[in-house]
Amino acid sequence: DAFISLVPDDTMRVTVGLDHTAESQAIGKQWFSWGVFDDVPYRFAVADAREYVPQRACLDAAREAGGLRGAVDGSLLVAGPDAWMDEARLRHTEDEPARHAVADLIGDLALHAAPGGFSGLPVGHVVAYKPTHALAAAFVRALREVANEDDWVPIIDTSNQANSDMLDAQNDVLDAEDDMLDAQGDDKEADEHEQ
């Protein structure tokens, strides 16, 4: 039931909905919407929203898998079934996970945008429900096929060689991510076939 869509508009807005009611009533269902040109600046509305996990077990599993080694105390919010583990750490008590999801989606859109005129965020209202990084990558690929230069809000001046080099590096990362996802899918199919 996850999706990402683009509604035509003359501005750039991102709206994200989450539903963690099955894992944590502390998070529950949340929606947050932020407009590039219409709302409080990004650094106040979105940038300070931290990553979260809907259960302590997710945190423990990430640590056991070797993750979170660079995390500092307070950089991750941990929810329990009915309450946050440390509610005093919340910066946005009603919707910090949804704000963080908006930050993730904006990052994915910008990172996966193509070089040149397609170097920024799509013009319009991006509406997403339970977005993932893989879903955002697929959305941008599909959008690139039908969009033209006027459909993007430029973020990076690609006439600068350093910025062009950075975009090339970002596209290399995207290609590597695609290869990894393809390999994971092939491994899953092989495992299912063996069973």
Side-chain angles (χ1 to χ4, degrees), residues 2 22 32 41 48 61 66 69 71 81 136 164 172 184:
F32 183 73
D48 66 343
R69 287 182 270 176
S164 294
D172 290 343
Q184 288 174 347

Side-chain angles (χ1 to χ4, degrees), residues 108-120 137 140-141 144 156 158 163-179:
D108 287 341
L109 293 172
L111 181 63
H112 295 307
F118 297 91
S119 64
V140 171
R141 278 189 211 92
R144 274 193 230 159
I156 297 172
T158 57
N163 286 335
S164 294
D165 292 344
M166 181 182 68
L167 287 169
D168 289 341
Q170 289 174 342
N171 284 327
D172 290 343
V173 169
L174 176 59
D175 292 340
E177 181 181 280
D178 287 343
D179 293 342

